Amino acid sequence: MNLTSIPAFQDNYIWVLHDETGKCLIVDPGDAAPVQKAIEENDWHPEGILLTHHHQDHVGGVKKLLENYPNLPVWGPQETQDKGANRIVIDGDRVAILGLEFSVFATPGHTLGHICWYAAPWLFCGDTLFSGGCGRLFEGTPEQMFLSFQRINQLPEQTLICCAHEYTESNLAFALSILPEDVDLNGYYRKVKELRVTKQKTLPSTLKIERRINIFLRTEDSDFIKQIKNKTNLQQSKQLFAWLRAAKDNF
């Protein structure tokens, strides 16, 4: 199975899994045009669409793709039903497609109905976890997002983090404002800046990498708490997570 990312809008990635026969699965098609172009250029044959949440930059291309492929199954949470989803899934569901079995798990925070799709090694996490960062809380609470991060952090370290936006450089800049002396952060930030200069992608990441460079995954780490005690005296992980998300909002 091969993974391709299709750039869309300013910083979105639409993910496509495709096998050697050309059968493909499309994740969060916010724009139909680049997806249709890739389908035609690669002689792909769409077998389904997976949606993570209802925001337009993730679902905007669904209805057009359904016009072109009217029998295409579209799986998504309840909040995507009026956006084109015709197969509604909930936490704990499993979906078999392209010889893979995807697990659905709820990750509220960015939106209340946000879900992630996991079939090892791929995690399609929409706008929940970004490389080096955390999705903005439009509908959910910091506690909900903290718990969503804990669910993701239970996955194997080799999990490929297929998030939906190229935010890595700005996320690491924020992280360095919190931990300016961190060796892992500084090294990875330099690497990412070099990639972005040549317009190369920083995704997918891996959970192993994220556990080192994503400070939102480190709020239960006693060393991390000690390192930022000059900025906040918060000790509880959930409170520290909320403090970090608020600081990122104001960064």
Side-chain angles (χ1 to χ4, degrees):
M1 194 68 64
N2 299 300
L3 178 70
T4 295
S5 59
I6 301 173
F9 308 117
Q10 183 175 351
D11 50 40
N12 280 68
Y13 290 141
I14 300 166
W15 296 98
V16 180
L17 278 174
H18 47 98
D19 65 17
E20 66 281 357
T21 71
K23 292 180 180 179
C24 73
L25 178 65
I26 305 158
V27 184
D28 280 355
D31 187 0
V35 176
Q36 190 62 48
K37 183 173 183 287
I39 288 172
E40 294 169 2
E41 289 179 347
N42 294 283
D43 194 26
W44 288 338
H45 310 288
E47 294 287 309
I49 294 174
L50 304 182
L51 303 177
T52 61
H53 65 292
H54 66 84
H55 285 162
Q56 189 67 11
D57 63 325
H58 293 253
V59 301
V62 173
K63 292 183 178 179
K64 180 62 177 177
L65 288 171
L66 285 176
E67 290 177 9
N68 298 336
Y69 310 96
N71 297 318
L72 201 63
V74 181
W75 290 274
Q78 183 64 49
E79 66 178 39
T80 62
Q81 186 167 26
D82 64 347
K83 308 296 185 181
N86 50 39
R87 307 279 196 284
I88 302 305
V89 295
I90 61 173
D91 184 57
D93 280 351
R94 294 179 180 274
V95 172
I97 186 170
L98 290 189
L100 302 170
E101 185 176 68
F102 283 89
S103 299
V104 177
F105 54 97
T107 51
H110 183 67
T111 68
L112 290 177
H114 199 295
I115 62 172
C116 288
W117 294 90
Y118 175 67
W122 303 282
L123 176 72
F124 298 104
C125 51
D127 287 357
T128 296
L129 182 149
F130 296 124
S131 184
C134 165
R136 189 177 290 271
L137 303 179
F138 284 112
E139 299 174 10
T141 66
E143 182 174 359
Q144 286 177 315
M145 187 66 99
F146 170 79
L147 293 174
S148 294
F149 264 56
Q150 297 311 299
R151 294 196 76 176
I152 291 174
N153 206 21
Q154 298 305 307
L155 295 173
E157 66 176 16
Q158 64 268 27
T159 298
L160 292 175
I161 304 298
C162 304
C163 47
H165 292 274
E166 181 60 77
Y167 291 161
T168 313
E169 185 176 347
S170 61
N171 285 336
L172 291 175
F174 166 70
L176 284 168
S177 74
I178 304 296
L179 292 178
E181 305 301 323
D182 188 279
V183 174
D184 286 332
L185 280 173
N186 277 284
Y188 201 69
Y189 185 55
R190 287 192 296 272
K191 176 181 176 181
V192 167
K193 284 181 70 70
E194 291 171 1
L195 288 173
R196 297 310 294 151
V197 165
T198 55
K199 305 297 183 183
Q200 295 184 65
K201 299 170 183 176
T202 67
L203 301 172
S205 181
T206 67
L207 190 54
K208 181 178 182 179
I209 290 172
E210 293 306 311
R211 286 172 176 157
R212 289 175 25 235
I213 59 95
N214 193 320
I215 59 176
F216 290 92
L217 285 171
R218 294 168 63 180
T219 57
E220 294 191 309
D221 183 345
S222 58
D223 289 337
F224 174 72
I225 294 172
K226 289 176 184 177
Q227 288 180 72
I228 65 168
K229 64 187 300 184
N230 64 321
K231 299 180 184 294
T232 176
N233 289 316
L234 294 172
Q235 298 293 315
Q236 293 188 8
S237 298
K238 293 178 182 178
Q239 294 178 340
L240 184 53
F241 189 97
W243 178 82
L244 284 173
R245 183 59 258 184
K248 180 63 167 66
D249 289 340
N250 296 316
F251 180 67

